[in-house]
């Protein structure tokens, strides 16, 4: 099966944790025949830097459209 995963890396230690979690999901996909496509979603400080607000309507829509959301 193919899955669309929204990824919110967050601030602080989040990006490092999310990077490793994606490796785990990819390994699960290899073993069980799944594939994961990742869609980066901005939230928090990185969203403020990029858009001026911590969470945009677009980010919410991206999360809702995904099969799952991985958040660090």
């Amino acid at each position: 099966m193919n899955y669309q995963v929204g990824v919110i890396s967050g601030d602080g230690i989040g990006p490092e944790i999310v990077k490793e979690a994606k490796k785990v999901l990819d390994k699960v996909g290899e073993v069980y025949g799944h594939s994961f496509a990742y869609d980066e979603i901005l939230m928090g400080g990185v969203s403020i830097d990029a858009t001026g607000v911590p969470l945009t309507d677009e980010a919410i829509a991206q999360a809702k459209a995904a099969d799952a959301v991985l958040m660090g």
Side-chain angles (χ1 to χ4, degrees):
M1 293 200 66
N2 300 320
Y3 297 97
Q4 183 68 34
V5 180
V7 177
I8 302 173
S9 294
D11 299 309
I13 65 167
E16 294 82 12
I17 301 300
V18 169
K19 179 180 174 182
E20 298 305 314
K22 286 167 58 177
K23 288 180 185 178
V24 171
L25 283 175
D26 290 338
K27 188 62 175 179
V28 167
E30 286 178 31
V31 172
Y32 294 101
H34 303 303
S35 65
F36 300 97
Y38 302 105
D39 184 22
E40 297 293 328
I41 300 172
L42 299 180
M43 187 174 107
V46 293
S47 179
I48 292 171
D49 291 344
T51 67
V53 295
L55 184 63
T56 64
D57 290 338
E58 179 182 309
I60 293 169
Q62 284 178 278
K64 286 182 176 181
D67 296 311
V69 177
L70 174 62
M71 185 171 176

